[in-house]
Amino acid sequence: MSARSNRRISHVTLDEKTVVRRKPEVEHERAVAIFDLLEENEFYPCDHADSGPYHLHLSIEDNRLIFDIRREDNSDIDKLTLPVTGFRSIVKDYFLICESYYAAIKRSTPSQIEAIDMGRRGLHNEGSEMLRDRLSGKVEMDLQTARRLFTLICVLHIRG
């Protein structure tokens, strides 16, 4: 196996102990993000680039986003924390535009749906780039991986 193929996530879990029942649309987005992430991603901790593939556990604890990165044998590699506060505003805006998008699908014209979807994708890209910036120098990942991880971070924000 090449070093490049080791620089990926092979397993991902979300801390679901505080999760409430989510809407079917959210569950679908979560499932698709995990499936797509595991199918194709580029992800590696800068100090452990050749230790993969990686298991990643995402959680939110005490207003901190936790990236618990482990080897496939479940041994520790690194536990990175990021303040949630930096993501709150963009996640909130993303939730609002997603609600508009789901409502538009039911009753709007294709051009209106497309306009809302463009805004939704723009916010999603913004959140993904913010994630890459905050992890710069700690974890390297491609944009598609960051997009899928941002989706999962949004899912973690839905709490009771």
Side-chain angles (χ1 to χ4, degrees):
M1 196 182 303
S2 72
R4 189 138 181 90
S5 64
N6 285 336
R7 294 180 177 193
R8 65 182 180 82
I9 298 168
S10 64
H11 183 79
V12 64
T13 57
L14 302 180
D15 179 16
E16 307 240 17
K17 62 184 168 206
T18 59
V19 169
V20 297
R21 183 173 298 182
R22 296 179 286 235
K23 294 181 180 182
E25 296 93 342
V26 173
E27 284 300 314
H28 176 74
E29 292 289 329
R30 180 193 61 79
V32 168
I34 289 173
F35 178 83
D36 289 347
L37 180 67
L38 296 178
E39 282 293 304
E40 182 179 346
N41 68 80
E42 183 178 324
F43 177 97
Y44 56 93
C46 295
D47 294 339
H48 302 278
D50 296 322
S51 299
Y54 307 98
H55 285 201
L56 177 64
H57 180 75
L58 294 173
S59 62
I60 296 178
E61 298 174 14
D62 300 323
N63 289 321
R64 297 236 175 254
L65 179 60
I66 312 290
F67 286 76
D68 186 0
I69 306 166
R70 298 175 172 266
R71 291 179 182 84
E72 283 196 308
D73 67 4
N74 213 29
S75 60
D76 291 338
I77 291 180
D78 208 350
K79 192 178 259 190
L80 304 172
T81 62
L82 297 175
V84 170
T85 53
F87 290 96
R88 275 206 181 111
S89 176
I90 196 159
V91 168
K92 181 181 175 188
D93 291 346
Y94 184 69
F95 283 157
L96 290 172
I97 202 162
C98 283
E99 288 295 323
S100 296
Y101 175 75
Y102 296 134
I105 288 174
K106 296 174 185 171
R107 65 178 182 279
S108 297
T109 67
S111 61
Q112 291 169 322
I113 294 168
E114 185 177 341
I116 294 169
D117 191 44
M118 285 178 63
R120 182 176 76 125
R121 282 183 275 140
L123 273 173
H124 199 269
N125 284 340
E126 187 179 330
S128 304
E129 287 297 343
M130 178 187 293
L131 178 62
R132 288 176 77 188
D133 289 345
R134 299 276 168 90
L135 290 174
S136 180
K138 298 171 189 159
V139 172
E140 291 299 320
M141 69 183 88
D142 64 349
L143 179 59
Q144 289 306 315
T145 300
R147 285 180 55 79
R148 293 163 183 146
L149 289 174
F150 180 72
T151 298
L152 297 177
I153 290 167
C154 289
V155 169
L156 284 173
H157 275 81
I158 300 172
R159 296 183 177 263

